[in-house]
Amino acid sequence: MSRLFIFDTTLRDGEQVPGCQLNTVEKIQVARALEGLGVDVIEAGFPVSSPGDFNSVVEISKAVTWPTICALTRAVEKDIDAAAEALKYAKKGRIHTGIGTSDPHILYKFNSTREEIIERAVAATKYAKRYVEDVEFYCEDAGRTENEYLARVVEAVIKAGATVVNIPDTTGYCLPDEYGAKIKYLMEHVPNVHQAILSTHCHNDLGMATANTVQGVLNGARQVEVTINGIGERAGNTSLEEIAMIFKSHKEKEIVTNINTTKIYGISRMVSSLMNMPVQPNKAVVGRNAFAHSSGIHQDGVLKNRESYEIMDPKEIGIDDNAIVLTARSGRAALKHRLSVLGVELDQEKLDKVYQEFLKLADRKKDINDDDVLMLVGKDRTEMHRIKLEHLQVTSGIGLQSMASVCLNMAGVRRCEAAAGNGPVDAGIKAVKKAISNSDMTIQEFLIQAISKGSDDTGKVHMQVEYNGSIYYGFSANTDIIAASVEAFVDAINKFIV
């Protein structure tokens, strides 16, 4: 059996997605869940990019024990200095440095030559090696880099001390056989390749990130760079859960990971909730419909023998058909247990607050599911908002003009307004605009998502609001979808109104 190392970049590449930014406390929560999941490396941030990223790397280094903590840099000395400083508390630290190696990057991004790029790559690797033993080098846009030149770069950085060399398909352009052949070429043509580990980092622009990663592994790569739910730049990255379950399902490939797959579902829901990033229903492994069967033929087959149509047991990823159902009669112990399954640990004071909110929601909704619970845990994020929605009343119906009245608490000052609209949501948003005396904003995206099903279900609202040429993201969840929509709008305006 061959060991495959899992490098999770949810907190770096995934957190770069607009609207998915986490605060340090939330990042620590995810990092601890990743540790429990069994990932080998956590890429915690890009320290030189901002004080927030720097601090996150510091605090995550303190919070987790056995995974390697990795910090990203460019092939620039000040970047590497910042990364080394941020990693000073890490039990095992790695600096991830690199430079573009494709001709478009060399010619247009760096206005340089192939030979100069190799010199810069070697210099950056040697400089990082002064701080840490474990240095990973990325050949940015390796997917479009000519193989012979790429092999020269890989050989040079390994000789300079790189322990891992990352071969990213940065643009998501490669076909699986092409990417696999690239890894195979390096394995066969780099004389010192066995002194380091080759790593994959594939983007999903053409929907081939997972396929490319698998081909990379089958041709010799022994580290994969992945994210929870496949989040990441543009169309996203390779999904951790897909890679883990592919090799667990295909034991004949003799590739094993350290992932405790029974924790996959919980961390998937946690990341979706904290980052306000819905998981598409048909998402492989963790989507709501991943184990749902609607076809009569399929249903009949599954009832007779699950393996007729299911290659994975839902329990393997942490979906327990016999899980405790939370209702208004559930106590703190049941709520605490469910939070623990989802990777959330709360002190007694925080648990008491969440439990009170849980009881309020349970009075309005028959059964409480995992997404509801995670939503309750994150609800206190809005308590620090400068503008809070205190009151909303809407009148709407067929043959009636929709009207809404709102009262906002604006840093202690109460403002109430009413407005008409072409629907209840439109009326509520217009009333909020009147209350803040600002109508110069436009909703660019408005997504409503039911958490599970039923007319009493909690609805999630994701909203993009444009103001002064910039996009701001709002989110809310409520059993009242009109209230959730107005709350999401208020959440967005809190991001830009000071």
Side-chain angles (χ1 to χ4, degrees), residues 6-18 20 30 34 37 39 169-170 172 201-211 213 224-244 264-265 267-272 275 277-280 282-287:
I6 303 297
F7 176 115
D8 185 273
T9 186
T10 301
L11 295 174
R12 201 279 298 171
D13 205 325
E15 209 253 348
Q16 290 176 187
V17 177
C20 288
V30 173
L34 290 171
L37 183 65
V39 304
D169 182 23
T170 306
H201 182 113
C202 298
H203 282 263
N204 206 38
D205 298 71
L206 294 175
M208 294 185 290
T210 296
T213 298
V224 291
E225 305 193 4
V226 293
T227 61
I228 300 297
N229 299 334
I231 63 172
E233 291 276 4
R234 306 183 309 279
N237 289 30
T238 305
S239 297
L240 182 153
E241 60 274 10
E242 293 174 15
I243 292 297
I264 283 176
Y265 186 75
I267 194 170
S268 168
R269 288 297 176 265
M270 174 197 289
V271 169
S272 173
M275 290 189 165
M277 176 68 79
V279 176
Q280 66 194 64
N282 63 327
K283 168 75 174 65
V285 182
V286 293

Side-chain angles (χ1 to χ4, degrees), residues 71-129:
L72 185 73
T73 82
R74 298 166 296 181
V76 176
E77 289 188 358
K78 70 172 184 177
D79 286 28
I80 296 170
D81 291 337
E85 179 66 18
L87 288 168
K88 65 183 179 182
Y89 296 105
K91 288 77 177 175
K92 292 184 287 184
R94 175 185 295 180
I95 293 176
H96 188 188
T97 191
I99 197 167
T101 56
S102 68
D103 286 338
H105 279 239
I106 293 170
L107 295 173
Y108 305 117
K109 183 176 178 180
F110 300 111
N111 190 27
S112 187
T113 66
R114 286 184 168 188
E115 295 306 319
E116 287 178 356
I117 290 298
I118 290 180
E119 290 176 8
R120 290 179 62 177
V122 168
T125 303
K126 288 182 176 179
Y127 193 76
K129 198 77 173 178

Side-chain angles (χ1 to χ4, degrees), residues 136-185:
E136 178 171 345
F137 187 88
Y138 62 84
C139 305
E140 188 176 6
D141 204 20
R144 295 188 298 171
T145 300
E146 188 266 324
N147 285 351
E148 185 179 353
Y149 175 66
L150 182 62
R152 289 178 57 204
V153 177
V154 173
E155 181 181 358
V157 297
I158 293 175
K159 187 176 180 181
T163 51
V164 181
V165 184
N166 180 11
I167 312 299
D169 182 23
T170 306
T171 60
Y173 178 75
C174 286
L175 296 171
D177 59 344
E178 178 185 7
Y179 186 78
K182 187 177 290 286
I183 298 295
K184 183 178 181 182
Y185 182 91

Side-chain angles (χ1 to χ4, degrees), residues 349-407:
E349 182 181 355
K350 184 70 180 290
L351 178 64
D352 289 342
K353 287 177 63 178
V354 171
Y355 183 67
Q356 294 307 314
E357 293 297 321
F358 163 78
L359 291 177
K360 293 176 186 176
L361 179 61
D363 283 338
R364 304 196 303 270
K365 191 179 177 196
K366 184 178 179 181
D367 295 327
I368 307 297
N369 60 38
D370 291 345
D371 284 307
D372 291 324
V373 171
L374 289 168
M375 178 268 293
L376 290 173
V377 173
K379 197 169 184 180
D380 62 342
R381 286 178 288 175
T382 62
E383 291 180 4
M384 301 305 293
H385 280 175
R386 181 177 180 274
I387 301 174
K388 298 175 184 175
L389 180 64
E390 289 191 343
H391 169 84
L392 169 68
Q393 183 171 348
V394 176
T395 302
S396 184
I398 297 172
L400 297 175
Q401 172 74 65
S402 294
M403 296 290 298
S405 62
V406 301
C407 284

